[in-house]
Amino acid sequence: NAGVTQTPKFRILKIGQSMTLQCTQDMNHNYMYWYRQDPGMGLKLIYYSVGAGITDKGEVPNGYNVSRSTTEDFPLRLELAAPSQTSVYFCASSYSIQRDGITDTQYFGPGTRLTVL
Amino acid sequence: GDSVTQMEGPVTLSEEAFLTINCTYTATGYPSLFWYVQYPGEGLQLLLKATKADDKGSNKGFEATYRKETTSFHLEKGSVQVSDSAVYFCALRLFSSGSARQLTFGSGTQLTVLP
């Protein structure tokens, strides 16, 4: 069982370039999330999706776009890369937000380390 | 707003030493609390969780108790191993009907255990 997979593992971009970070989960989870982690900081939510065709902004969405055409995939798009977007990006998924009154577990991918120069 | 404050690292211990990583939180309401662990080169994994006051989460010898009176969720282990070397994140989550509330993370604590 692969869980949550992310590609690429590392990437260096020049200012103004575009790229898509890929995220795929094979657990048939409804919810998917994108977080970024800056050095010495906790993870911050960029965007999330509650199901195919539905996405919503998190805490830090500016400079990013997402789409959710299938249950499995949740790509994150950077249109005009800026140095402030240098970070480690984590994708996560969960079956639901709350199940039987108990918080559902988020499963994380291994991360993509992005540097914008 | 909601926030999580974690003990700053890095923390270096000898094998079989006692571990405490402090975590306190600020939240409007009654959050669920979590500890996640990130081993080198891997994604975050849920280590343990507690959903209400006085609950104790435990896993792999680690424990944490949800203390509402001190708004804390400190992580402890009686005897650490080299394989426990990782980054540990404390997090909280609040729920309100009809909304998808995010996890709020602390900044992480790097633990290194020496043989």
Side-chain angles (χ1 to χ4, degrees):
Chain A
N1 210 356
V4 180
T5 57
Q6 291 183 239
T7 57
K9 286 187 172 22
F10 305 94
R11 184 73 184 268
I12 298 175
L13 287 181
K14 294 182 179 177
I15 294 172
Q17 286 187 316
S18 301
M19 78 162 294
T20 300
L21 282 67
Q22 301 293 343
C23 175
T24 300
Q25 54 91 8
D26 63 0
M27 296 174 281
N28 201 31
H29 283 169
N30 296 323
Y31 287 80
M32 296 187 74
Y33 317 81
W34 274 105
Y35 293 89
R36 60 176 286 172
Q37 182 186 23
D38 299 327
M41 307 288 286
L43 281 69
K44 293 187 183 296
L45 184 67
I46 304 171
Y47 270 95
Y48 67 94
S49 168
V50 304
I54 307 170
T55 63
D56 208 347
K57 296 178 181 178
E59 187 180 356
V60 289
N62 291 344
Y64 306 94
N65 280 300
V66 293
S67 59
R68 184 96 182 270
S69 57
T70 66
T71 300
E72 295 79 19
D73 300 308
F74 190 41
L76 178 71
R77 179 85 178 158
L78 283 71
E79 291 293 349
L80 293 170
S84 61
Q85 293 178 304
T86 294
S87 190
V88 181
Y89 291 83
F90 290 100
C91 180
S93 71
S94 67
Y95 181 74
S96 66
I97 290 294
Q98 195 171 11
R99 194 157 52 149
D100 299 327
I102 306 298
T103 303
D104 204 9
T105 299
Q106 288 190 17
Y107 294 85
F108 284 79
T112 295
R113 185 175 296 275
L114 175 68
T115 302
V116 182
L117 301 174
Chain B
D2 307 334
S3 66
V4 175
T5 302
Q6 251 182 269
M7 172 179 171
E8 287 195 20
V11 174
T12 303
L13 296 173
S14 297
E15 205 163 26
E16 298 183 5
F18 184 85
L19 169 71
T20 299
I21 300 178
N22 289 337
C23 172
T24 58
Y25 67 89
T26 302
T28 53
Y30 301 100
S32 295
L33 301 173
F34 307 83
W35 278 100
Y36 278 84
V37 59
Q38 184 180 27
Y39 298 104
E42 298 183 12
L44 280 72
Q45 303 173 25
L46 180 66
L47 180 60
L48 53 84
K49 65 185 179 186
T51 57
K52 61 183 187 297
D54 300 325
D55 270 1
K56 178 185 283 188
S58 61
N59 186 25
K60 299 183 181 179
F62 291 89
E63 292 183 341
T65 301
Y66 189 141
R67 301 286 187 202
K68 183 181 167 188
E69 64 275 13
T70 55
T71 61
S72 65
F73 193 53
H74 305 320
L75 183 69
E76 296 182 336
K77 186 173 185 181
S79 176
V80 293
Q81 306 300 312
V82 172
S83 57
D84 294 327
S85 297
V87 181
Y88 292 82
F89 293 91
C90 186
L92 69 82
R93 189 173 213 170
L94 279 166
F95 291 92
S96 61
S97 61
S99 73
R101 296 297 298 271
Q102 64 200 56
L103 282 167
T104 299
F105 284 89
S107 56
T109 302
Q110 171 78 53
L111 170 66
T112 301
V113 180
L114 303 176

